[in-house]
Amino acid sequence: MADPTYIDWRFARSSGRRLSTAGPRLEANEMAEVVAELRDAAVRAHDPVAETAQLGTDGDLGPVRIVDRATWIDVNVVSLEGMLTPVVDKITAKRLAGPVSRAVTAKVSGGELGGLMAFMSSKVLGQYDIAPGGTPSLMLVAPNVVAVERELDVDPHDFRLWVCLHEETHRVQFTAVPWLREHVVSGARDLLVEMAPTPEEMAERVGEMANRLPEVFREGSMGLTDLFATPEQRERMAQLTAVMSLLEGHADVVMDDVGPQVVPSVETIRARFGERRDGLGNVDRLLRRLMGLEAKMRQYKDGAAFVRSVQSKVGVEGFNAVWAEPVNLPTPAEIQRPQLWVERVHGSLFK
């Protein structure tokens, strides 16, 4: 793992836990019921999701974990450590700083990461953790699910199953497509290593960040990563974003197709959840843009439009050619113009 004298991972976890809030108050028996229902909903979501997606998932699906915010922070810090180890190794390769300076830097970096994790821990309903170097798992954040279902005033049983439909689709994707997890992990890690500044470059990058910070807040920004990327790296980021758009959009499409079959109040849930997303405050919007979260919202929209368009032309079976091998994944241009992907993968017959 990455040298703890440069990022204090333990401090990141402890500060994240300390800064996060517990969420809505529930009696012990109420929380036990929520946990049991979420676990059951994840199981019930699997078959209709796999059948609708037409993806086979023979073998171990991995665990379902119903967690609180503090545990979500712990799991994600461990995953980040696994992902970022080569990045930190590059930045700190020459160990130019002395031991005292490194210790201070480690605490600052750990504290900043903890603050970010605390913010995120109250926003995430569910997540498929691909766990670089570990065991992938489906996580559902119980207090957040309860908080949102109360905020929206929707049927809690329906809402819990609805949330599981999206996250279960991700578990099906990564289980049915054996090469997908390593492709995503290695692609993201290689890009991060390439973008990471060496110790000699760090001072120059800090000055550049100060001058270019307004770019982070512009419409269409990918967040802080925009400050470090060269044109070539931005092109690779766009390719990785296209893959993430595919995954998120496909999950939304499957959720929408399955929802009416198994979630009686799905239309109410969709409408109110959409209104909630649109009603974010200005401060929250700025934070989301800074961290690239608005880009993630665009991934849902662009990816879903791509999946719908392709399936309308070649059906679900034809769309599933996207999972055959990495070369079949859509390019950024193809995400925006699905017909290009159809013609490339299925030939001119579908022009």
Side-chain angles (χ1 to χ4, degrees):
M1 291 298 173
D3 190 334
T5 61
Y6 287 96
I7 296 180
D8 191 329
W9 299 101
R10 180 177 297 179
F11 186 63
R13 292 195 293 272
S14 64
S15 61
R17 282 172 165 265
R18 186 172 62 255
L19 293 170
S20 67
T21 57
R25 290 183 59 85
L26 292 170
E27 299 296 332
N29 63 319
E30 292 177 306
M31 182 53 73
E33 289 176 5
V34 172
V35 169
E37 184 169 4
L38 282 171
R39 194 177 303 280
D40 178 67
V43 172
R44 288 191 291 126
H46 174 75
D47 285 351
V49 162
E51 290 167 7
T52 298
Q54 296 182 24
L55 291 173
T57 56
D58 297 335
D60 185 14
L61 288 170
V64 176
R65 306 179 64 180
I66 315 302
V67 301
D68 58 12
R69 293 174 178 176
T71 303
W72 182 90
I73 289 170
D74 284 346
V75 171
N76 276 273
V77 170
V78 169
S79 289
L80 280 173
E81 185 177 4
M83 177 68 78
L84 295 179
T85 293
V87 182
V88 176
D89 288 347
K90 177 184 176 181
I91 295 173
T92 61
K94 295 187 178 180
R95 298 173 180 263
L96 299 181
V100 174
S101 178
R102 293 201 306 270
V104 171
T105 298
K107 288 295 184 184
V108 171
S109 299
E112 290 174 344
L113 178 58
L116 173 61
M117 290 293 101
F119 173 80
M120 291 295 296
S121 71
S122 66
K123 306 296 182 183
V124 176
L125 299 179
Q127 172 190 349
Y128 184 74
D129 176 34
I130 59 177
T135 301
S137 63
L138 174 61
M139 286 195 297
L140 298 162
V141 189
N144 295 350
V145 173
V146 172
V148 174
E149 70 192 22
R150 289 179 175 179
E151 176 188 340
L152 300 181
D153 190 25
V154 293
D155 183 286
H157 310 294
D158 285 0
F159 184 73
R160 293 164 195 176
L161 179 56
W162 185 74
V163 169
C164 287
L165 294 178
H166 183 97
E167 303 308 332
E168 182 62 27
T169 303
H170 288 316
R171 189 160 68 146
V172 166
Q173 291 166 344
F174 283 95
T175 304
V177 185
W179 53 264
L180 184 59
R181 175 173 173 246
E182 180 56 30
H183 180 80
V184 171
V185 170
S186 61
R189 181 182 282 151
D190 290 348
L191 180 58
L192 287 169
V193 169
E194 184 179 320
M195 291 173 62
T198 63
E200 294 86 350
E201 296 170 332
M202 186 63 77
E204 179 183 345
R205 290 289 184 88
V206 170
E208 186 179 355
M209 282 177 61
N211 293 328
R212 295 178 55 195
L213 191 59
E215 295 179 25
V216 172
F217 297 100
R218 75 181 191 278
E219 192 70 29
S221 168
M222 291 295 294
L224 288 173
T225 53
D226 267 355
L227 297 182
F228 296 99
T230 66
E232 294 78 12
Q233 290 165 349
R234 291 190 186 199
E235 186 175 328
R236 291 177 58 193
M237 286 171 61
Q239 181 60 60
L240 185 61
T241 299
V243 175
M244 301 312 296
S245 295
L246 169 71
L247 297 175
E248 295 293 356
H250 181 242
D252 261 11
V253 167
V254 172
M255 177 177 68
D256 286 347
D257 288 349
V258 175
Q261 305 171 36
V262 297
V263 181
S265 60
V266 66
E267 294 302 327
T268 299
I269 291 172
R270 283 175 179 165
R272 294 182 184 176
F273 195 82
E275 290 171 1
R276 175 181 181 269
R277 183 180 292 174
D278 293 339
L280 295 173
N282 289 333
V283 173
D284 199 48
R285 284 184 184 278
L286 286 175
L287 287 171
R288 287 172 179 267
R289 186 165 294 178
L290 182 67
M291 293 185 291
L293 296 179
E294 281 202 354
K296 185 174 179 63
M297 294 300 102
R298 294 193 297 273
Q299 288 173 12
Y300 289 91
K301 181 179 178 181
D302 294 346
F306 171 84
V307 174
R308 287 285 187 211
S309 178
V310 171
Q311 289 184 351
S312 72
K313 293 177 173 65
V314 297
V316 174
E317 184 177 354
F319 165 79
N320 280 347
V322 80
W323 313 117
E325 54 183 330
V327 72
N328 279 15
L329 292 170
T331 66
E334 289 168 347
I335 283 287
Q336 299 299 323
R337 297 175 59 194
Q339 182 64 28
L340 296 178
W341 181 89
V342 173
E343 293 174 12
R344 176 170 68 87
V345 174
H346 290 283
S348 59
L349 178 65
F350 293 94
K351 282 188 177 180

